[in-house]
Amino acid sequence: MNIIKELDNLSTIAISGHIRPDGDCIGSVMAMYLFLRKIKPDATIIPMIEKPAEEFNIISGIESIVSDFNPGIDVFDAFIGLDCSTTDRYGEAEKYYESAKKKIVIDHHVTNDGFGDVSLVVPDASSTCEVLFDVIGEENIDIEIAKALYIGVIHDTGILQYSNTKPKTMNIAAKLISYGFDFTEIIENTFYEKTRIQNEILGRCLLESILFMDGKCIAAKVDQKMMNFYGATSHDFEGIVNQLRYTKGVEVAIFMYEIENETYKVSMRSKGTVDVAKIAKFYNGGGHVRAAGFTMSGSFYDIVNNISDSIAIQLGID
Ligand code: 5GP
Ligand code: MN
């Protein structure tokens, strides 16, 4: 995709990503923002996502994000949607997607069917930031753009560990760190560091998790009572599902938290045998083979039962 050509003569541009933005979403929105601000200094460029967690404040320009979704423009010349596989996941930005004169979609989710006027979906790429590395072009990258892209790459690859990490991903990461930012600090601050409360919730989830299907599945939840007790938000649950997945013998880890009474946001992680994107898609969600999610109504046990059936089919268990 020649993004500069796509945006030729367009002067109001919104950049957005998915609800509850993660490192790749925030990194890609900010990298695109920093790039466009440079190459289209006369245009109005609006990055628009929910307020990122404060550890992402190290990204240059992050204060420009319009997180109340009131940019003062109703119809943008172009809307660039990043790291988001369905329009409803733009959340409050969806209306700007709908009204935009030109809809540009850049993503790496296998469940993204390329719904924009112009779409670039690369399911082989580790992250949207990896896709953007090529879209922006090496010659246009500076240290601040490199930092934003690096954050996206490391967050979606579990610091270059998950199987979506390809030699190309490593090469891109190597080029990015050559710009000279403090990547050790970035990894520590945005990935590993937890608040006391986050660690307490993680501990409780591990203690209260249930193993089933002969230890092949593990599930844990945070309900509204627990969220209120800790004053926790969804951001405080990052990493819990991965920690569950590390349990020896487990093929699929399930973590869910209650977004409203008896409605849960479900996250799944697979070690590879089970395609969790397929399960998520069945329940109107999406994601990747080894990491996917959806929203479902019912009790924790209802939801676990539903997912178990889908997993059993894939594992060939009656
Ligand atoms: P997480 O479990 O970390 O929230 O998400 C794992 C992956 O699945 C991410 O790539 C995320 O974008 C995707 N995902 C999670 N929940 C949903 C959902 O409800 N709908 C769609 N389309 N994708 C989701
Ligand atoms: Mn991503």
Side-chain angles (χ1 to χ4, degrees), residues 85-86 89 109 265 267 269 285-288 291-295:
S85 55
T86 49
R89 295 213 353 121
H109 289 92
K265 177 75 190 61
S267 282
R269 296 292 183 272
H288 312 281
F294 60 91
T295 299

Side-chain angles (χ1 to χ4, degrees), residues 53-58 154-155 159 183-200 202 235-240:
E54 66 180 39
E55 59 264 29
F56 292 102
N57 287 350
I58 47 165
I154 61 160
H155 274 257
I159 313 173
F183 65 87
T184 309
E185 189 189 17
I186 287 178
I187 292 173
E188 176 95 15
N189 291 358
T190 71
F191 200 85
Y192 285 117
E193 192 176 78
K194 300 276 176 232
T195 63
R196 169 76 185 170
I197 280 179
Q198 289 165 350
N199 273 335
E200 282 185 26
L202 168 66
H235 168 64
D236 296 311
F237 313 143
E238 208 123 296
I240 294 178

Side-chain angles (χ1 to χ4, degrees), residues 18 22 24-25 83 107-109 126-129 152 156 288:
H18 59 78
D22 59 7
D24 188 31
C25 177
D83 199 39
D107 191 17
H108 71 123
H109 289 92
S126 66
S127 49
T128 301
C129 281
D156 262 21
H288 312 281

Side-chain angles (χ1 to χ4, degrees), residues 210-230:
I210 55 165
L211 267 179
F212 53 101
M213 287 174 78
D214 273 345
K216 287 193 174 58
C217 297
I218 191 165
K221 68 154 193 318
V222 171
D223 57 22
Q224 286 206 318
K225 205 170 132 202
M226 190 159 148
M227 285 176 80
N228 292 337
F229 178 79
Y230 288 106

Side-chain angles (χ1 to χ4, degrees), residues 75-96:
V75 178
F76 284 90
D77 291 338
F79 179 103
I80 305 177
L82 301 169
D83 199 39
C84 187
S85 55
T86 49
T87 55
D88 59 313
R89 295 213 353 121
Y90 290 130
E92 287 192 63
E94 188 182 4
K95 58 176 181 284
Y96 300 105

